[in-house]
């Protein structure tokens, strides 16, 4: 057992010496380059009397206006606008998720991993389904046609996979165009 410890000590000793030397060198350089602090001279505080200002008359309180009542209709419209904006952002998020998943499907196709490509296409389809539910009417048509194209590509994977990656890139471009609108 002692021979084993000596062997460990011989292996670790150079590292410990290197660490110690670097710490000493760092400390020496730090104190050499760091300017010495200036000795603090005692400061004598002198008290000067504050100038006296003539008292100013206190202004009489102005009549306060009642707080402006916010129109309930305006609040409802603002809430509806925020909800619509939130739905738009969530739709864009799901569309981007579908585009990223289509990238993964293309990479799987390039590796000839059809099972992974099929899973990626299903995930993209689910993201498009969520985007469809949250989207406004003008976007529902394009999203639905993209979902149909992904289903056709997925069906063709087992029969004729050639050209599927090119078709997926086209679908991806369509999705990104929807996000940019």
């Amino acid at each position: 057992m002692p021979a084993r410890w000596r062997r460990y000590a011989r292996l670790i000793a150079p590292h410990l010496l290197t660490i110690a030397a670097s710490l000493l060198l760092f400390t020496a350089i730090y104190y050499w380059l760091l300017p010495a602090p200036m000795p603090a001279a005692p400061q004598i505080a002198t008290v000067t009397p504050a100038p006296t200002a003539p008292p100013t008359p206190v202004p009489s309180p102005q009549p306060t206006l009642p707080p402006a009542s916010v129109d309930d209709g305006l609040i409802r419209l603002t809430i509806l606008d925020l909800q619509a904006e939130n739905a738009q952002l969530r739709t864009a998020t799901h569309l981007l998720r579908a585009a990223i998943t289509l990238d993964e499907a293309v990479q799987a196709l390039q590796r000839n991993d059809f099972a992974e490509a099929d899973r990626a296409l299903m995930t993209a389809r689910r993201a498009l389904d969520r985007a469809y539910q949250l989207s406004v009417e003008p976007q529902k048509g394009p999203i639905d046609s993209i979902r149909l194209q992904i289903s056709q590509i997925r069906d063709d994977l087992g029969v004729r996979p050639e050209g599927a990656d090119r078709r997926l890139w086209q679908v991806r471009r369509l999705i990104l165009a929807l996000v940019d609108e």
Side-chain angles (χ1 to χ4, degrees):
M1 215 37 151
R4 185 182 207 189
W5 288 106
R6 274 185 257 145
R7 187 177 56 155
Y8 288 140
R10 269 188 259 132
L11 290 174
I12 294 175
H15 297 289
L16 291 176
L17 289 174
T18 304
I19 292 171
S22 64
L23 286 174
L24 286 173
L25 182 64
F26 173 75
T27 306
I29 290 173
Y30 178 76
Y31 284 112
W32 181 54
L33 294 177
L34 185 70
M38 300 300 281
Q43 295 181 355
I44 300 173
T46 57
V47 178
T48 57
T52 57
T56 57
V58 176
S60 62
Q62 297 290 330
T64 58
L65 298 174
S69 62
V70 180
D71 186 21
D72 288 340
L74 182 64
I75 291 175
R76 285 189 191 106
L77 284 176
T78 305
I79 290 172
L80 289 174
D81 287 343
L82 290 174
Q83 287 174 342
E85 187 177 336
N86 183 28
Q88 259 183 330
L89 289 173
R90 291 179 59 202
T91 300
T93 302
H94 289 298
L95 288 172
L96 289 173
R97 183 174 295 147
I100 290 170
T101 309
L102 289 180
D103 284 341
E104 293 170 1
V106 169
Q107 291 172 1
L109 284 175
Q110 290 172 348
R111 292 188 315 264
N112 289 329
D113 188 357
F114 295 113
E116 180 62 31
D118 186 54
R119 279 191 292 273
L121 289 174
M122 284 302 298
T123 304
R125 172 65 196 245
R126 279 188 233 114
L128 287 170
D129 289 342
R130 290 184 198 113
Y132 182 84
Q133 292 169 356
L134 295 169
S135 66
V136 293
E137 280 303 316
Q139 285 184 330
K140 287 190 186 278
I143 292 174
D144 196 37
S145 69
I146 291 171
R147 291 189 311 180
L148 181 63
Q149 289 178 17
I150 288 179
S151 294
Q152 289 172 349
I153 293 170
R154 187 169 171 260
D155 291 342
D156 290 346
L157 273 184
V159 181
R160 51 189 162 116
E162 60 276 348
D165 55 347
R166 181 185 45 80
R167 291 169 55 196
L168 286 174
W169 279 113
Q170 290 172 346
V171 170
R172 182 182 174 276
R173 273 189 252 131
L174 290 174
I175 291 173
L176 293 178
L178 273 177
V179 171
D180 287 339
E181 288 180 356

